[in-house]
Every structure is written in structure tokens, then in C-alpha cells.
Amino acid sequence: MIKPLFNINDRHVSRPRLLRSVIFYDYPGVWKLIHCQLPACMGASQSTSEAHSPSQALHVLRVTPSSPASQTNIEPFFDFIVGFEGDSLSSHSNIDVNELETIVEAHEGRVLNLLVWSSKNQDTRVVPITPSRRWSQLSPEEYQNDSNAQPSLLGLSMRMCAPEYANNVWHVLDVLEGSPAESAGLVPYGDYIIGWSGGVLSAENDFYDLVEAHIDKPLRVYVYSHDFDALREVVLVPNRHWGGEGLLGCVFG
């Protein structure tokens, strides 16, 4: 039997700091879970000369449907905006958000080449995008309620962060018959939970706390399929009355 590293009920125990490594947790009656950081789980074998992640970048959390960004290959959770073509990355330790905002506005209706770093492929690529406000679905009532409202030029929801510490993933290893995980369509070995509708899962206990907070309530999570190289939204309903052990009835690793 593997000894738990800490008691899940003791929220004050200091956790070890781990980078690109594996840590074992034993949550009594819930799951056995091993979690690792995203770059270590996927894409590391495909690393290129750009394998080292940027120190700071804009993490893409959501791509709005029908937006200019939705017409590109930008992937939520995996991709980070690090600059734009013509910007010298060597002259900046971090992305200049104000400069990027100015450049985006100046390119309204014209093609702008964004520099995007992928945590999945561990490389930086050029993504052409045409900033525009014409796609926005904001209604006249919404403009009236907020005089400062402006349609997004890109249709991206982002946050500034260090990609190396951006988020953790949970690899689905087993799904029990009749469980909430099976009902949601989770696939053993092929699926990775990488985030939820509220954002990323960056702390060690985020997913555990999230599931506990959604007992008998729908929890929307984003799942990456390694088999199909695709990201999808899955609705889980954690509960204790499905007939088996745990809230989800699956094993993560």
C-alpha cells in the first residue's frame, strides 16, 4: 500500500513543490489520483528548439464561437499569446500587454500575425488573425446598459501567467460501470481533464475541491482526447448515490 503524502482533511499541511513530476494522493473513499503538469503529460516528446516555456504570457482560457479567434487554430488551455510578428521577443522578458492591445486595435480589419506558444507541442507558431468587431453578438440593450461596452476584437478570454505553472491535468485511467464518469463519457487512458468552465485547475487540490462543491450539481469540465487530439466539454454530476465508491467513480493518474 502506498502511504498518502498528507491527510486530505488537514488543509494546513505544507505541500511539496513539484515541477514536471508525479505526486501520489490517496483520497479515502473518493479517488486515487496522480497529477502532473500539462507539458510533462503531453507534447514533451515533440519538443523543439522552443521547448522552454516563456516566462510570462497570456493564457488562452476561452475562444468565443463565431469570433475572429474561432477562425484560427488557437486552442484554449494549451495556447499562450507571447507577442506579435514584428515584436522582438529577445528584447522583452515578458509580453507587453499594453503594446499588444494597441497593435490589435491598429489592425482592426487587417491581418495581424500573433506569436502563440503551445504547451502541447512545446513550440511557438505564427497565427494570422483579423481583429474585427462585426462578429459581436452584443445587443443594443447591452450597449445601453453599459456605455463603456466594446465588442471584443479577437474573441479571446485570457489571463497573464507563467506557462510553466499555468495548470495541472488529470489523466483518466479507469471508469467504473454505472458511475457519473461513465455517464459523462470519459474514456480511460485517452482522456485528460485540463480545466473547467470557471477556468484552469492550477492548485494541487483544485479538482478535489471543485468536485466536492458540485455534489448533485452539474460540473462542466474541459477534456482533452489524446486519441483524437481534440478538446471537448463534458458535464459531470458528482454524487454519492450512484451505487459505487467515490463521487465520480473513476481513477485518475
Side-chain angles (χ1 to χ4, degrees):
M1 178 180 293
I2 301 177
K3 183 179 179 181
L5 292 181
F6 61 88
N7 189 326
I8 192 60
N9 295 316
D10 186 356
R11 300 305 175 105
H12 302 290
V13 176
S14 61
R15 277 69 165 178
R17 182 181 179 185
L18 297 180
L19 301 179
R20 290 190 176 88
S21 58
V22 177
I23 181 171
F24 183 89
Y25 295 93
D26 186 356
Y27 294 154
V30 185
W31 317 290
K32 290 180 179 177
L33 166 66
I34 302 173
H35 87 269
C36 58
Q37 289 196 317
L38 181 60
C41 290
M42 289 170 281
S45 61
Q46 303 171 1
S47 60
T48 68
S49 59
E50 300 287 342
H52 295 291
S53 62
S55 58
Q56 290 287 318
L58 288 169
H59 190 191
V60 177
L61 301 180
R62 185 172 184 268
V63 175
T64 306
S66 303
S67 68
S70 71
Q71 308 305 311
T72 71
N73 61 2
I74 294 176
E75 294 185 283
F77 296 101
F78 294 113
D79 282 348
F80 297 79
I81 309 298
V82 297
F84 55 91
E85 201 168 57
D87 176 32
S88 175
L89 291 181
S90 60
S91 65
H92 299 296
S93 58
N94 299 323
I95 183 174
D96 188 328
V97 177
N98 293 329
E99 183 181 4
L100 179 61
E101 183 178 3
T102 300
I103 291 295
V104 169
E105 290 178 352
H107 280 76
E108 183 173 358
R110 298 188 293 127
V111 175
L112 170 65
N113 290 324
L114 293 176
L115 299 177
V116 181
W117 185 79
S118 169
S119 61
K120 182 169 64 176
N121 297 322
Q122 299 281 288
D123 62 9
T124 299
R125 68 188 189 278
V126 176
V127 177
I129 188 170
T130 303
S132 173
R133 291 188 171 95
R134 294 183 179 180
W135 67 274
S136 177
Q137 299 300 309
L138 283 177
S139 66
E141 291 76 14
E142 288 176 297
Y143 284 116
Q144 186 175 0
N145 293 335
D146 185 357
S147 59
N148 296 318
Q150 288 289 331
S152 169
L153 284 167
L154 300 180
L156 291 173
S157 296
M158 300 180 287
R159 64 162 187 162
M160 178 65 78
C161 70
E164 187 172 9
Y165 307 104
N167 60 294
N168 298 296
V169 299
W170 278 260
H171 188 193
V172 179
L173 295 183
D174 193 17
V175 174
L176 303 182
E177 184 177 355
S179 67
E182 184 187 52
S183 299
L186 291 182
V187 179
Y189 292 99
D191 281 351
Y192 296 79
I193 295 177
I194 63 173
W196 70 296
S197 58
V200 296
L201 300 165
S202 54
E204 293 172 358
N205 286 334
D206 274 3
F207 189 49
Y208 172 79
D209 293 338
L210 194 61
V211 170
E212 282 270 300
H214 284 79
I215 296 176
D216 295 322
K217 295 185 291 186
L219 170 60
R220 296 182 181 275
V221 297
Y222 291 102
V223 177
Y224 170 75
S225 170
H226 180 268
D227 297 332
F228 297 98
D229 189 23
L231 187 67
R232 71 184 190 278
E233 185 180 87
V234 168
V235 179
L236 296 167
V237 183
N239 66 81
R240 294 190 173 94
H241 48 76
W242 63 272
E245 184 180 1
L247 294 172
L248 295 179
C250 59
V251 177
F252 296 90

